[in-house]
Amino acid sequence: MEAEKLTGAAQSPGAIERLRLYYARNEQRIAVLSFICGFVFDILMVDRADSWHAIAQQLFYLAVILAALTQMFFEEGVSAPDPAGRFFVVRWYYQYRTALVHFFLGTLLNVYTIFFFKSSSLLVSFAFLILLVFLLWANESERFKAMGLPFKFTLLALCSMCFAANVVPIFVGSIGVTVFLVSMLAGCVPQLGVAWWIRRKRPDHFPRARKQMLVPLGAVLVAFLAFYWLRWIPPVPLSIPFIGVYHAVEKRGDEYRLSHERPIWRVWQHGDQEFLAQPGDRVFVYFRIFSPTRFSDQVQMRWYLKDDARGWVLQDTIPIKIVGGRAEGFRGYGFKTNYQPGEWKVQVGTLDNREIGRVYFSLETGAEWPRQFEVEIQ
């Protein structure tokens, strides 16, 4: 009896082995859990786009993913090293590195989906955002995981370029075509550097590196350039968290006092998006635009009137100088005195006509009548 107990104890798997078996049986559930944990972790940890903590976190994730994928590249086609007997951290890494890579990729894709979504209206950047959301889902899909290293290097290239597209303008302090091209070059550096090192030190592996690393990198770069040319890439890191239509905007000290007639139950509107104008009224559009610290550039406020035959017709363009650093965003406004009844749209965008935000409103005119404004403080 004692011998049987000893034999059973010797054959019972250890804690690490039980974890490995559980992971093998529940890999898909763990992948979904990794995605959810990455999403929650991102909500808790990611702050402003120009937060040094957020930038350092993204940079760490990218470095870990690049190192892990490079190691997996060299181990492809050869016997994997046996982690038994090594330090427990090494054993844990070899057993769960694939889940770790997908966790970090999922977190980064979620971060950039949020950043790009904030930086433009959904209608303008719909195609690019749909692509990011699709890849976010594909990162957790077993079918795409089975595509192996080329797909993972594709996701890494996408994350590297999204990171550079967001961070380079923060350091430069402005946006534009030249800044975007520099950011794309910076985003290519990690994978190009690894491929160059492989060509110098391990030339026998370079044909495979070209296929698995450089071809995905080139495809992502071409896609980014095409999307930028089509104006489908939002102007990160700028974003407009608030924009509304008002009868008056008055600055008192560090406060802006916004006057409107909006009924209290229209909680989804900002200001008077059903604007009733009396003779002599001016139409104000007030906005808050997030821009990083040390950022200094110019945006344009474009006023459009809808024409039944020609669609949206540009009526006026107002340049506005913005500076960054304020936590709640730079506050600005423009107004129009020469207008006519109809459907209006005001866009705030970059000098190269990349939209950051918009607001729609309908305008009606009439004779004078008594009215009382509500005042909103910003």
Side-chain angles (χ1 to χ4, degrees):
M1 183 66 68
E2 292 296 329
E4 291 179 0
K5 289 182 179 179
L6 291 174
T7 303
Q11 292 178 348
S12 62
I16 297 297
E17 181 64 18
R18 288 198 300 271
L19 284 175
R20 188 189 67 79
L21 293 173
Y22 180 82
Y23 177 79
R25 291 194 299 265
N26 300 275
E27 185 174 0
Q28 187 169 2
R29 293 181 181 178
I30 292 175
V32 174
L33 181 62
S34 297
F35 170 78
I36 296 173
C37 289
F39 182 81
V40 174
F41 188 76
D42 172 57
I43 293 175
L44 295 175
M45 298 299 292
V46 173
D47 195 2
R48 292 162 48 110
D50 63 342
S51 164
W52 290 110
H53 178 273
I55 292 173
Q57 176 192 347
Q58 296 166 53
L59 194 60
F60 172 74
Y61 282 10
L62 290 169
V64 171
I65 295 169
L66 180 62
L69 292 184
T70 302
Q71 185 183 40
M72 293 164 69
F73 169 83
F74 283 114
E75 292 176 359
E76 192 174 51
V78 299
S79 300
D82 185 8
R86 297 191 181 186
F87 187 54
F88 80 95
V89 174
V90 177
R91 296 199 304 269
W92 180 89
Y93 166 75
Y94 273 100
Q95 289 169 359
Y96 304 111
R97 64 180 176 182
T98 300
L100 184 69
V101 165
H102 284 283
F103 172 83
F104 283 176
L105 284 171
T107 300
L108 289 173
L109 287 170
N110 182 61
V111 169
Y112 302 132
T113 301
I114 293 173
F115 283 169
F116 280 86
F117 178 77
K118 288 182 177 180
S119 294
S120 183
S121 66
L122 182 61
L123 292 175
V124 172
S125 54
F126 181 78
F128 186 71
L129 290 172
I130 286 296
L131 175 62
L132 285 181
V133 172
F134 170 75
L135 291 174
L136 186 61
W137 166 82
N139 180 59
E140 306 303 328
S141 169
E142 293 300 323
R143 177 178 298 180
F144 284 91
K145 285 181 181 180
M147 296 176 67
L149 288 178
F151 180 68
K152 293 181 178 66
F153 275 113
T154 299
L155 293 182
L156 174 60
L158 176 66
C159 291
S160 297
M161 291 186 192
C162 286
F163 173 79
N166 184 69
V167 171
V168 170
I170 292 175
F171 282 97
V172 174
S174 63
I175 57 178
V177 176
T178 302
V179 176
F180 177 79
L181 293 177
V182 170
S183 68
M184 291 298 97
L185 178 61
C188 291
V189 166
Q191 281 179 232
L192 282 177
V194 171
W196 176 82
W197 181 85
I198 291 174
R199 185 177 183 182
R200 288 285 303 270
K201 302 296 184 180
R202 305 288 295 274
D204 54 315
H205 289 275
F206 183 71
R208 192 160 52 88
R210 181 171 55 234
K211 179 180 179 181
Q212 295 187 350
M213 296 181 188
L214 297 184
V215 171
L217 178 65
V220 173
L221 177 61
V222 170
F224 257 92
L225 295 175
F227 276 43
Y228 187 83
W229 180 72
L230 293 169
R231 292 187 172 87
W232 287 352
I233 294 182
V236 291
L238 302 181
S239 63
I240 289 186
F242 185 93
I243 183 171
V245 185
Y246 296 91
H247 276 82
V249 176
E250 180 184 3
K251 185 177 182 181
R252 291 187 183 179
D254 194 43
E255 294 182 344
Y256 281 81
R257 300 175 64 86
L258 316 177
S259 301
H260 64 85
E261 296 182 289
R262 184 191 73 246
I264 192 172
W265 55 269
R266 288 180 182 161
V267 294
W268 63 90
Q269 294 185 349
H270 290 159
D272 292 311
Q273 289 182 243
E274 294 183 7
F275 197 96
L276 304 178
Q278 294 185 10
D281 278 353
R282 293 186 292 182
V283 183
F284 288 80
V285 171
Y286 167 90
F287 64 88
R288 283 190 286 109
I289 182 169
F290 168 80
S291 54
T293 305
R294 297 184 303 276
F295 193 92
S296 178
D297 211 324
Q298 191 176 82
V299 298
Q300 291 181 335
M301 179 179 286
R302 304 182 185 93
W303 297 70
Y304 294 87
L305 176 64
K306 191 171 187 179
D307 182 86
D308 292 337
R310 296 181 293 169
W312 293 106
V313 180
L314 181 64
Q315 302 293 307
D316 201 1
T317 301
I318 302 173
I320 299 175
K321 182 75 172 180
I322 64 170
V323 292
R326 187 173 181 271
E328 294 81 12
F330 174 85
R331 295 168 295 181
Y333 67 91
F335 62 86
K336 192 165 181 61
T337 56
N338 182 20
Y339 50 79
Q340 63 189 78
E343 298 295 323
W344 287 81
K345 175 179 68 174
V346 176
Q347 289 179 336
V348 179
T350 62
L351 297 181
D352 59 349
N353 202 27
R354 299 182 189 280
E355 182 182 309
I356 309 170
R358 68 171 70 179
V359 64
Y360 295 92
F361 65 97
S362 61
L363 190 148
E364 297 180 11
T365 58
E368 293 188 7
W369 64 89
R371 57 186 177 178
Q372 184 174 0
F373 293 117
E374 298 291 332
V375 176
E376 179 179 339
I377 306 297
Q378 285 278 332

